[in-house]
Amino acid sequence: QLQVEVTDMTGNTIDGPVRLDIAVIDQNDNRPMFKEGPYVGHVMEGSPTGTTVMRMTAFDADDSSTDNALLRYNILKQTPTKPSPNMFYIDPEKGDIVTVVSPVLLDRETMETPKYELVIEAKDMGGLDVGLTGTATATILIDDKNDHPPEFTKKEFQATVKEGVTGVIVNLTVGDRDDPATGAWRAVYTIINGNPGQSFEIHTNPQTNEGMLSVVKPLDYEISAFHTLLIKVENEDPLIPDIAYGPSSTATVQITVEDVNEGPVFHPNPMTVTKQENIPIGSVVLTVNATDPDTLQHQTIRYSVYKDPAGWLEINPTNGTIGTTAILDRESPYVQNNVYTALFLAIDSGNPPATGTGTLHITLEDVNDNVPSLYPTLAKVCDETKDLKVVVLGASDKDLHPNTDPFKFELSKQSGPEKLWKITKINNTHAQVILLQNLKKANYNIPISVTDSGKPPLTNNTELKLQVCSCKKSKMDCSATDALHISMTLILLSLVSLFCKSF
């Protein structure tokens, strides 16, 4: 659109302005272009004739109201050309690609390749020879459907396994003509007969599609030397309605179990028995019983000690009788929570011999065989103290109730005309030692007896060492000079007392 006016030499307008419209007539100077690629379409195998696969759309920059942009589509080339050179047709005006072969020919499993490439031409000028052209490649993939059931490569498979062993024993092979990348090919195996004890399991190898048959519970040759399993195979995806699983989708597996020399088994295991501690050496603890699982073989069993931490036991190698070789002590560090544990072996006469292990728990009942102990055994006191309570004594016993407290605390007979100390009970396990007068600086040995409550009771006669020290300005001096002198004096007094008693 132009604005035009006429002016004189001086610039004065003579006429106008008026509008001048110039129409630019389109020239066919732009080729059709496919801008939305890559173009990939999918069609299911066996699809009916005339199934739409995809649409091809080109763009032409020329005037859309003229034939310069009036496009027509055509298939220039199909690769591969089998089973038919004309597998597909393209709507010349819409660009829709459809199948033109019968569903029988559209069979993925009979094709050279499930991928076809079409060279598509778009021509303007309504497809006339004078039109400009543009091309693009359309890739069409034939998708698989589950129209082939998996089939075993053999009707019967063989496997051999040793008794007592677990793991994969055989790989079952199948063939399937469907696409390996889909659930129409991937196999699912099931044991449908011969596995009442659930001793076997089968899983699919994801790489090979084989069925890996495994023993998950050890087999026993003596119970059954042969097993026959019936296995079926199916696909992850269901078959199409007009296809069914046939006889080739089942197979049998014959499994032979090989005999192995198994170790004897103790009955029961662990074995438990209760005995008093301190029973005489040579006492019978228990007679063990072990049997050989290899019932079809005639074997003998001999016994031996495997672990006897304290060295208290022995076993008769022939009849399995366990006896004591030492005193059983409940207070031993080898006894935990009143229980002593030992291990024994049962060895058969196979070649090579097999061994079984049995555990024996001996619960030891307590006997009053430990005297109580006294603590502390040393006390210090100032020579001029006003508090004559010297020390609180405690007693302990390794035995169990009722062979421990309440304890009885007593002072042994004191020498000399004056009593220097006394002892009073605080509770079942403690007593108080009290001085009856202040003592001179020295070391004194106070004879004390403590008795437990066992039947018969046990008494421990011991001495409490009492140091009488001089105390000045909160400092305790317990030097041994005076103590040695007084101790020697006490020794002489004791000797004189003994001498007089002997007459």
Side-chain angles (χ1 to χ4, degrees):
Q1 290 183 353
L2 304 178
Q3 294 290 328
V4 180
E5 66 179 5
V6 180
T7 59
D8 60 15
M9 295 299 289
T10 62
N12 296 319
T13 299
I14 300 174
D15 194 7
V18 295
R19 192 179 74 176
L20 173 64
D21 291 337
I22 302 176
V24 180
I25 301 173
D26 183 40
Q27 180 181 352
N28 190 18
D29 57 351
N30 288 277
R31 293 179 179 275
M33 297 180 62
F34 291 91
K35 295 183 176 181
E36 299 176 356
Y39 297 92
V40 180
H42 293 262
V43 61
M44 186 71 69
E45 65 171 332
S47 295
T49 302
T51 300
T52 300
V53 180
M54 60 191 298
R55 171 170 287 188
M56 298 289 290
T57 302
F59 169 78
D60 195 314
D62 291 320
D63 187 358
S64 60
S65 65
T66 68
D67 287 350
N68 293 340
L70 182 60
L71 303 181
R72 294 293 182 264
Y73 299 94
N74 182 41
I75 299 176
L76 295 180
K77 183 180 179 182
Q78 172 191 302
T79 305
T81 60
K82 295 181 179 180
S84 170
N86 298 307
M87 298 283 292
F88 306 94
Y89 166 79
I90 189 167
D91 185 306
E93 295 182 5
K94 297 179 181 179
D96 290 338
I97 298 175
V98 298
T99 62
V100 293
V101 294
S102 68
V104 175
L105 289 180
L106 200 63
D107 185 357
R108 186 183 183 281
E109 285 74 36
T110 61
M111 294 175 173
E112 291 181 1
T113 173
K115 181 172 75 172
Y116 287 84
E117 290 187 347
L118 306 179
V119 177
I120 306 298
E121 177 190 66
K123 180 182 289 189
D124 59 19
M125 299 299 294
L128 296 177
D129 292 339
V130 295
L132 300 178
T133 61
T135 59
T137 299
T139 301
I140 299 176
L141 300 175
I142 312 302
D143 291 338
D144 188 37
K145 63 181 177 181
N146 197 8
D147 55 352
H148 293 88
E151 298 180 344
F152 283 101
T153 57
K154 296 188 295 184
K155 288 301 296 180
E156 184 174 292
F157 295 84
Q158 305 289 333
T160 301
V161 59
K162 294 180 183 294
E163 67 172 329
V165 175
T166 59
V168 177
I169 59 174
V170 66
N171 291 316
L172 310 182
T173 53
V174 296
D176 195 319
R177 297 170 62 188
D178 291 313
D179 184 2
T182 66
W185 178 83
R186 290 190 292 270
V188 178
Y189 297 86
T190 308
I191 302 173
I192 59 177
N193 196 15
N195 191 27
Q198 305 302 310
S199 298
F200 302 93
E201 286 184 358
I202 188 166
H203 300 280
T204 304
N205 185 319
Q207 280 75 41
T208 65
N209 217 28
E210 295 177 339
M212 302 181 295
L213 181 63
S214 303
V215 176
V216 293
K217 293 181 181 179
L219 304 176
D220 192 338
Y221 173 84
E222 285 71 30
I223 295 178
S224 178
F226 300 97
H227 296 267
T228 300
L229 303 181
L230 183 60
I231 312 291
K232 74 172 181 180
V233 61
E234 299 172 307
N235 290 131
E236 286 185 2
D237 292 346
L239 294 172
I240 61 176
D242 54 340
I243 301 294
Y245 293 104
S248 296
S249 295
T250 59
T252 57
V253 182
Q254 301 291 342
I255 302 167
T256 301
V257 183
E258 294 182 346
D259 190 21
V260 173
N261 186 26
E262 301 170 86
V265 179
F266 284 86
H267 306 282
N269 194 20
M271 302 161 282
T272 58
V273 67
T274 300
K275 295 290 181 181
Q276 276 196 339
E277 64 173 334
N278 298 342
I279 58 175
I281 296 175
S283 299
V284 173
V285 176
L286 179 71
T287 298
V288 301
N289 177 36
T291 58
D292 197 321
D294 300 300
T295 55
L296 301 181
Q297 304 178 28
H298 300 288
Q299 297 184 355
T300 58
I301 296 176
R302 59 184 179 88
Y303 301 94
S304 65
V305 177
Y306 179 41
K307 287 185 179 180
D308 179 19
W312 290 343
L313 306 172
E314 64 181 358
I315 189 169
N316 186 302
T318 305
N319 61 22
T321 298
I322 300 173
T324 62
T325 60
I327 297 297
L328 306 183
D329 183 10
R330 190 198 66 83
E331 291 75 34
S332 167
Y334 297 106
V335 176
Q336 302 295 324
N337 297 322
N338 304 325
V339 176
Y340 179 69
T341 301
L343 303 180
F344 296 88
L345 299 179
I347 307 167
D348 66 21
S349 56
N351 186 20
T355 302
T357 304
T359 301
L360 173 63
H361 295 308
I362 305 175
T363 300
L364 295 175
E365 295 179 339
D366 188 41
V367 172
N368 192 23
D369 58 348
N370 289 276
V371 298
S373 59
L374 197 69
Y375 61 90
T377 57
L378 173 65
K380 296 181 180 181
V381 64
C382 294
D383 53 357
E384 295 182 357
T385 182
K386 294 181 180 180
D387 184 6
L388 296 180
K389 294 180 180 179
V390 176
V391 67
V392 174
L393 296 178
S396 62
D397 198 313
K398 294 181 180 180
D399 293 316
L400 299 176
H401 285 288
N403 296 322
T404 57
D405 61 85
F407 298 111
K408 181 180 179 182
F409 298 89
E410 294 180 302
L411 287 172
S412 300
K413 187 177 180 181
Q414 300 183 46
S415 60
E418 295 185 64
K419 294 186 181 295
L420 302 179
W421 39 72
K422 71 175 183 178
I423 191 167
T424 59
K425 181 178 178 180
I426 298 176
N427 54 35
N428 289 343
T429 58
H430 291 79
Q432 177 81 60
V433 177
I434 302 173
L435 292 180
L436 299 179
Q437 61 183 10
N438 289 111
L439 300 177
K440 294 182 179 180
K441 181 180 176 183
N443 288 341
Y444 298 88
N445 291 326
I446 304 176
I448 297 174
S449 66
V450 57
T451 304
D452 61 27
S453 296
K455 293 183 180 180
L458 295 180
T459 300
N460 180 17
N461 294 307
T462 184
E463 289 185 340
L464 170 66
K465 184 176 180 181
L466 178 64
Q467 291 185 340
V468 180
C469 310
S470 61
C471 300
K472 296 179 179 180
K473 296 182 180 179
S474 301
K475 291 185 179 180
M476 183 175 285
D477 181 10
C478 299
S479 59
T481 306
D482 294 339
L484 177 63
H485 172 73
I486 295 175
S487 296
M488 290 300 295
T489 304
L490 288 174
I491 292 172
L492 289 174
L493 288 172
S494 298
L495 289 174
V496 171
S497 175
L498 288 172
F499 179 77
C500 294
K501 286 181 180 180
S502 61
F503 289 94

